Amino acid sequence: MPFQFVLPTTSSFSFSSSFTSESHPSLPLNASSHRGVVRDTLKKFKRLPASSQAQNLPSIISNVNAYLPYVFAIDTGLSRASQQGEEINVVLTSTPTIEWRPTISGNAVPGRETPRIKIQSLEYDLIFTLSTLGYTYTLLARASLHPLYVTSGAPVSVQERTTAITTATKHLLDAASVHDYLAHRTEALSAPSPCVDIAQSTARAMASLALAEATLLAVLKDDPYPAVVAQERNANDREWMYKAPEIPKVRAHLFARLCLAAADHAAKASSLCQSVRGSGNSKLNDDLLRYLEDFRKTSRAKACRFFGIDAELSGQTGNALGWLRCGLQELGIEQKEVKKGLSLSRMKKDWSERREDKKVERGTNWGSDAGKLEETRVIEMLEAKWTKVNDTMMTQTIPSTATLLSSLPSGRDIHTIKPYQPPELPRQVLESMRALPDQVDDYGGEQPSSDDDERTAVGTPVGAYPSTPDNYRSESRSYY
């Protein structure tokens, strides 16, 4: 369900070429070595197949967290402040030039990779690094939730489901803390950001999005209906042979207000993302903007469903069906008469559901609709059940959607964003860097990048015999 971010990549950089430290001469070299590890990790992660990327996310977080204390120490030294009681003195000798590849900016040429941008400030490099850390936390949350949506294997137990959701919530709150720290840090920058990826509005939007996703997970942990729908579609489930699915009573009114709070956070993130603009009138990509809008709609539809559940528990089946119709309206689904037999709309719906199931099985780009399809299945299941009861027993009037939507209460937050604490180097490490460096800082040399690999990679000509592509190529540029 969390958004599938693409992690940015960066060029090599030697801190010794732009910074020097009289108090800790080995600090620039150590920062360069740890930054080189982060660069290589991101580069290798980008080349991995999608099915193998999830297991490499912890190493990215470990390497980024190992690098951050050094770059924060250099940032502290530029302002002649102190860490762990030790004063750090760092001097800028030349303007640094670092390249990063944006990943959430809109691409002017569809289908092609976004070109790298050059930044000439350590501050922007630090912002890109922290943004990468926040994106990785979100991807870890996705990896934790993935087993809950797989229908080809054995259904997960209640304990496994709770553990997965709790772990994902922790990662999302960590991501929100990082993005919130960036939003406050960028307030002091007077110059406009060179890229919308690191703009202040983008950081605030990402913090709101992570908080919205964590809020909705608090509802998912105790919401039995998605699990029941997934169990019905699981071909390996055998529990239905000897007992019906257990649907415990839920705190429907509380869950509805939590969903409305998540919708408010998503609406705030969407508004910030649509208003942010970078150099050259660049904006964020359409996939992210579409996901934010779908997330807002899904959250409001969930709230309507829980209000319907609350009404049904009170014996008000007519109001319950009215709330379900409000949920379908929020999802943008028109209410039509159910027709037996085959129809084009039903075939199209079945095809889209099978396509989403295949994405979940492959673990690639699943949940890009922010849970709209899953929520639609739950609402349609409840609507069919309650319609049958109301038609045969209750025969209550169904109120209009406008009347019910006008009575929606305000949302209620359950999580708060904890302030992010910038990591500091231990005192022993700072004391050890008072010695002169024992090697040359050559991390900013000419090293191959992903762009170089793409330019030097030579494809096999069409129709060529295997292992003989060089026989079909000439260095001559002439026509004869």
Side-chain angles (χ1 to χ4, degrees):
M1 182 174 59
F3 184 72
Q4 186 175 8
F5 288 101
V6 177
L7 298 184
T9 54
T10 181
S11 64
S12 58
F13 175 68
S14 169
F15 280 90
S16 299
S17 63
S18 300
F19 303 94
T20 181
S21 176
E22 297 179 356
S23 60
H24 300 79
S26 298
L27 177 58
L29 173 63
N30 283 274
S32 298
S33 61
H34 283 81
R35 191 184 188 280
V37 174
V38 173
R39 173 186 177 272
D40 292 341
T41 305
L42 292 174
K43 182 179 176 182
K44 292 177 182 178
F45 179 83
K46 178 182 178 181
R47 297 174 176 175
L48 290 173
S51 58
S52 304
Q53 288 184 344
Q55 59 190 6
N56 288 272
L57 291 172
S59 64
I60 295 178
I61 290 183
S62 176
N63 293 331
V64 171
N65 283 330
Y67 162 66
L68 283 174
Y70 291 91
V71 68
F72 273 115
I74 293 179
D75 182 66
T76 301
L78 290 173
S79 57
R80 296 184 178 273
S82 61
Q83 275 190 10
Q84 305 290 347
E86 284 204 21
E87 184 178 351
I88 304 176
N89 184 9
V90 176
V91 179
L92 177 66
T93 58
S94 63
T95 303
T97 302
I98 310 172
E99 292 184 356
W100 279 89
R101 187 186 302 281
T103 56
I104 61 175
S105 297
N107 197 351
V109 182
R112 297 192 62 180
E113 200 169 25
T114 307
R116 291 189 176 189
I117 62 167
K118 289 185 178 181
I119 56 176
Q120 296 181 330
S121 170
L122 179 64
E123 182 71 17
Y124 291 136
D125 180 71
L126 178 58
I127 295 174
F128 258 116
T129 305
L130 287 171
S131 298
T132 303
L133 180 63
Y135 300 157
T136 310
Y137 278 129
T138 302
L139 293 178
L140 266 179
R142 278 180 59 88
S144 301
L145 295 173
H146 181 250
L148 306 183
Y149 297 91
V150 176
T151 58
S152 59
V156 296
S157 63
V158 177
Q159 181 63 34
E160 292 173 340
R161 179 183 178 86
T162 303
T163 302
I165 295 176
T166 303
T167 304
T169 302
K170 177 183 178 299
H171 292 319
L172 288 173
L173 291 177
D174 289 340
S177 297
V178 173
H179 291 303
D180 186 65
Y181 171 80
L182 285 177
H184 288 89
R185 186 181 179 94
T186 51
E187 288 179 353
L189 299 179
S190 57
S193 60
C195 175
V196 294
D197 288 47
I198 55 177
Q200 180 188 5
S201 299
T202 304
R204 290 194 178 279
M206 295 302 101
S208 296
L209 173 59
L211 183 59
E213 291 169 335
T215 302
L216 210 58
L217 285 186
V219 176
L220 179 63
K221 185 170 63 174
D222 296 324
D223 184 8
Y225 295 95
V228 170
V229 174
Q231 186 177 355
E232 290 180 354
R233 295 169 42 248
N234 194 331
N236 296 315
D237 177 57
R238 297 293 182 267
E239 191 174 298
W240 60 272
M241 294 181 176
Y242 54 90
K243 72 172 183 178
E246 296 180 0
I247 303 180
K249 292 184 178 181
V250 297
R251 296 167 290 178
H253 198 273
L254 173 61
F255 288 170
R257 294 191 62 187
L258 292 179
C259 292
L260 290 175
D264 292 340
H265 291 307
K268 177 182 176 182
S270 179
S271 176
L272 289 170
C273 286
Q274 291 176 1
S275 62
V276 65
R277 287 290 185 273
S279 58
N281 200 28
S282 60
K283 61 178 183 178
L284 297 174
N285 63 47
D286 295 334
D287 291 338
L288 177 58
L289 298 177
R290 191 181 306 112
Y291 174 85
L292 290 171
E293 185 62 21
D294 288 344
F295 189 93
R296 184 192 66 82
K297 293 178 180 179
T298 303
S299 299
R300 288 181 62 86
K302 283 182 180 290
C304 293
R305 170 165 65 89
F306 281 114
F307 281 126
I309 294 173
D310 186 57
E312 195 273 337
L313 292 174
S314 303
Q316 302 174 6
T317 312
N319 287 344
L321 287 171
W323 279 116
L324 292 184
R325 293 182 179 181
C326 291
L328 293 175
Q329 179 177 317
E330 292 290 341
L331 293 172
I333 299 176
E334 297 181 2
Q335 188 71 22
K336 297 180 179 179
E337 293 184 8
V338 179
K339 297 181 180 180
K340 297 183 180 181
L342 296 177
S343 64
L344 182 61
S345 60
R346 181 174 300 178
M347 293 175 61
K348 183 179 179 180
K349 177 186 174 183
D350 293 341
W351 178 79
S352 63
E353 290 182 353
R354 288 196 298 269
R355 184 178 61 175
E356 182 65 22
D357 291 340
K358 289 181 180 179
K359 289 181 180 179
V360 174
E361 299 301 327
R362 293 193 299 263
T364 57
N365 201 29
W366 62 275
S368 57
D369 63 344
K372 283 180 63 177
L373 178 60
E374 178 192 43
E375 186 60 28
T376 302
R377 287 169 173 166
V378 175
I379 292 179
E380 290 179 346
M381 178 195 72
L382 293 177
E383 186 184 28
K385 177 182 178 181
W386 294 348
T387 299
K388 184 176 181 180
V389 172
N390 194 55
D391 290 346
T392 57
M393 298 171 58
M394 299 297 185
T395 62
Q396 296 180 1
T397 304
I398 300 177
S400 64
T401 57
T403 303
L404 294 175
L405 289 176
S406 62
S407 62
L408 281 176
S410 60
R412 176 179 175 180
D413 285 315
I414 189 174
H415 297 298
T416 56
I417 300 178
K418 296 182 179 180
Y420 174 77
Q421 298 295 332
E424 294 185 355
L425 291 170
R427 187 178 182 86
Q428 296 83 357
V429 177
L430 286 172
E431 291 177 352
S432 66
M433 289 190 296
R434 289 186 178 276
L436 294 175
D438 56 356
Q439 67 183 55
V440 179
D441 188 353
D442 57 354
Y443 289 92
E446 294 296 330
Q447 300 184 23
S449 66
S450 57
D451 291 338
D452 298 330
D453 296 339
E454 293 171 2
R455 286 192 292 264
T456 57
V458 179
T460 303
V462 178
Y465 193 78
S467 73
T468 61
D470 295 335
N471 298 339
Y472 299 85
R473 186 172 293 102
S474 172
E475 296 298 328
S476 174
R477 302 296 183 186
S478 61
Y479 293 99
Y480 48 89

